[in-house]
């Protein structure tokens, strides 16, 4: 999914309902020393739960104003350290069962993912046949 969407970075997690957290991480092009999402940043993540709960394509700016995000610990101490700026989050479900997600990001200098929302949703639905929710981060 990263390559067809021309992403620079990627990560995937599975929502563990029993533990009430995201785990089973897989990442692409992110510094291993910065991958503290599972033990720290998921508990300070200002958007993922809201994006996931919407169950539809959602611009990140509908969930958190860009100015608030770039002032947050989550952005400055986690996302920005590796250069993650524009993002698309896809949450994949089979009925009520959470199969995981794709979090694909681009650098600041590259265009955002706004146009990719429907492309991601269509491609992922064809690949896995599951209902999916796509959320795009739009930078101003």
């Amino acid at each position: 999914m990263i390559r067809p969407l021309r992403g620079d970075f990627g990560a995937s997690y599975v929502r563990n309902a029993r533990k009430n957290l995201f785990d089973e991480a897989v990442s692409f092009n992110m510094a291993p020393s910065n991958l503290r999402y599972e033990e720290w940043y998921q508990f300070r993540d200002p958007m993922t739960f809201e994006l996931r709960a919407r169950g539809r394509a959602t611009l990140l700016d509908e969930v958190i104003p860009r100015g608030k995000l770039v002032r947050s610990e989550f952005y400055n101490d986690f996302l920005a350290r590796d250069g993650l700026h524009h993002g698309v989050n896809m949450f994949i479900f089979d009925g009520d069962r959470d199969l995981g997600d794709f979090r694909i990001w681009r650098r600041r200098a590259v265009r955002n993912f706004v146009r990719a929302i429907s492309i991601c949703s269509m491609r992922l639905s064809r690949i896995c046949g599951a209902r999916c929710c796509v959320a795009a981060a739009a930078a101003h």
Side-chain angles (χ1 to χ4, degrees):
M1 290 302 295
I2 295 169
R3 194 166 285 147
L5 295 174
R6 297 186 187 114
D8 296 308
F9 313 95
S12 178
Y13 297 88
V14 174
R15 177 78 183 139
N16 185 326
R18 188 176 46 79
K19 294 180 183 177
N20 195 31
L21 53 81
F22 291 96
D23 60 12
E24 300 183 39
V26 176
S27 68
F28 171 75
N29 208 23
M30 296 174 70
S33 61
N34 190 36
L35 289 175
R36 293 184 45 224
Y37 185 85
E38 286 185 47
E39 63 262 359
W40 181 260
Y41 290 108
Q42 73 173 300
F43 305 109
R44 283 141 183 84
D45 185 333
M47 67 221 167
T48 298
F49 284 102
E50 176 67 25
L51 292 167
R52 187 177 177 274
R54 289 186 173 217
R56 63 173 175 79
T58 305
L59 291 176
L60 177 62
D61 291 346
E62 293 179 48
V63 175
I64 183 171
R66 189 68 177 176
K68 182 177 180 181
L69 176 63
V70 299
R71 289 189 308 271
S72 71
E73 171 191 19
F74 185 78
Y75 181 81
N76 288 292
D77 293 346
F78 180 59
L79 298 176
R81 289 181 85 181
D82 278 326
L84 286 68
H85 192 73
H86 308 290
V88 174
N89 290 16
M90 295 173 278
F91 302 91
I92 309 149
F93 302 90
D94 182 9
D96 290 338
R97 190 169 148 233
D98 189 324
L99 301 177
D101 63 34
F102 291 111
R103 304 172 191 202
I104 302 169
W105 291 83
R106 291 179 179 165
R107 289 175 168 72
R108 179 186 300 255
V110 182
R111 290 175 34 165
N112 67 33
F113 281 102
V114 174
R115 291 181 21 196
I117 293 174
S118 61
I119 294 168
C120 295
S121 185
M122 288 184 315
R123 285 184 181 175
L124 192 58
S125 293
R126 279 189 217 133
I127 290 169
C128 66
R131 175 179 64 89
C132 64
C133 164
V134 182
H140 299 293

